[in-house]
Amino acid sequence: QVQLVESGGGVVQPGTSLRLSCAASGFIFSSYAMHWVRQAPGKGLEWVGVISHDAKVKIYPDSVRGRFTISRDYSKNTLSLEMSSLRVEDSAIYYCARDPTMGEPDYFDYWGQGTLVTVSS
Amino acid sequence: EIVLTQSPGTLSLSPGERASLSCRASQSVRNNYLAWYQQKPGQAPRLLIYGASSRATGIPERFSGSGSGTDFTLTISRLEPEDFAVYYCQQYGGSPLITFGPGTKVDIK
């Protein structure tokens, strides 16, 4: 069965960096685009970015572009999110999610359980 | 930029009742690329509907999606106790590429 397990969250100070990971299993990792979505405590969902199945295309919203970088390791079936210049407003639960198609980025059919990032001085 | 608005913010209903949740887009959603998710406390969202009206795998028939253009609806025909949750709509393919609505909470009356 499809499993996505995030790790790497924690408490960090503003302006620092943090790397999140998402271990994928139960499906052919190289066949699917993958996304990161975040949710601030008690708030709604915000899309953080996508990496295509072949890692050739990466797209980010304005809120994180230039600060966050998504990558993937096919040998380890792992998705990563490198976050730099972190801000208090980046505090959230970060979910990795699978995109069910190989075409344009669209919706998310499987989600991990999330990892909490708290940015605080 | 496509902005999604969901109404009502909270819907208070009893088990067995019908729920209609609205998602309105600030501009037409390309190809009706709209999805719905259910989220319960402490859990990740779960995909219910994609393409405005296609049910995801394993989703009960009491959940249905409809609409096109800028107006979309998620209908739960008869609420079961496990359906009380927050529901989000999401558009894909617009600008920005992916956006979510603020959510509708369905709680027990």
Side-chain angles (χ1 to χ4, degrees):
Chain A
Q1 72 283 18
V2 173
Q3 274 202 308
L4 299 170
V5 180
E6 302 92 339
S7 61
V11 180
V12 296
Q13 292 190 331
T16 62
S17 299
L18 190 66
R19 185 181 183 93
L20 306 182
S21 296
C22 170
S25 61
F27 64 101
I28 301 173
F29 184 63
S30 59
S31 294
Y32 294 86
M34 297 294 296
H35 300 255
W36 288 96
V37 177
R38 68 184 180 183
Q39 185 170 37
K43 303 297 183 182
L45 301 166
E46 181 186 14
W47 174 67
V48 173
V50 61
I51 184 169
S52 62
H53 68 97
D54 57 4
K56 291 183 178 179
V57 177
K58 302 175 188 181
I59 306 173
Y60 308 92
D62 290 347
S63 58
V64 306
R65 189 178 299 120
R67 300 187 300 121
F68 288 14
T69 301
I70 300 175
S71 60
R72 59 195 301 167
D73 183 334
Y74 297 99
S75 67
K76 297 179 180 178
N77 283 359
T78 298
L79 176 73
S80 295
L81 178 66
E82 185 75 40
M83 304 183 293
S84 64
S85 303
L86 281 163
R87 306 166 180 168
V88 171
E89 56 266 33
D90 294 320
S91 298
I93 297 172
Y94 283 75
Y95 298 99
C96 65
R98 192 182 82 163
D99 186 313
T101 75
M102 293 181 72
E104 296 179 349
D106 35 32
Y107 54 93
F108 319 108
D109 62 349
Y110 286 94
W111 298 63
Q113 87 289 348
T115 187
L116 178 63
V117 173
T118 303
V119 184
S120 173
S121 56
Chain B
E1 175 179 338
I2 295 182
V3 176
L4 299 179
T5 303
Q6 292 187 243
S7 61
T10 301
L11 192 55
S12 296
L13 295 168
S14 301
E17 289 193 294
R18 180 184 184 90
S20 290
L21 286 64
S22 173
C23 177
R24 185 159 293 175
S26 60
Q27 54 188 277
S28 185
V29 176
R30 184 169 69 96
N31 293 335
N32 295 329
Y33 284 163
L34 190 108
W36 290 92
Y37 301 86
Q38 175 194 69
Q39 187 178 34
K40 298 178 181 179
Q43 296 185 16
R46 177 174 73 143
L47 176 68
L48 300 175
I49 302 288
Y50 63 94
S53 60
S54 297
R55 250 187 318 272
T57 303
I59 301 303
E61 289 186 2
R62 64 180 182 273
F63 290 92
S64 63
S66 62
S68 63
T70 60
D71 290 309
F72 300 88
T73 301
L74 174 70
T75 301
I76 310 171
S77 59
R78 286 179 57 86
L79 282 165
E80 297 287 341
E82 62 267 29
D83 299 337
F84 292 92
V86 179
Y87 293 83
Y88 294 96
C89 59
Q90 174 230 334
Q91 67 81 25
Y92 46 101
S95 179
L97 189 60
I98 292 172
T99 52
F100 290 92
T104 289
K105 182 178 182 180
V106 178
D107 66 14
I108 300 176
K109 188 174 182 181

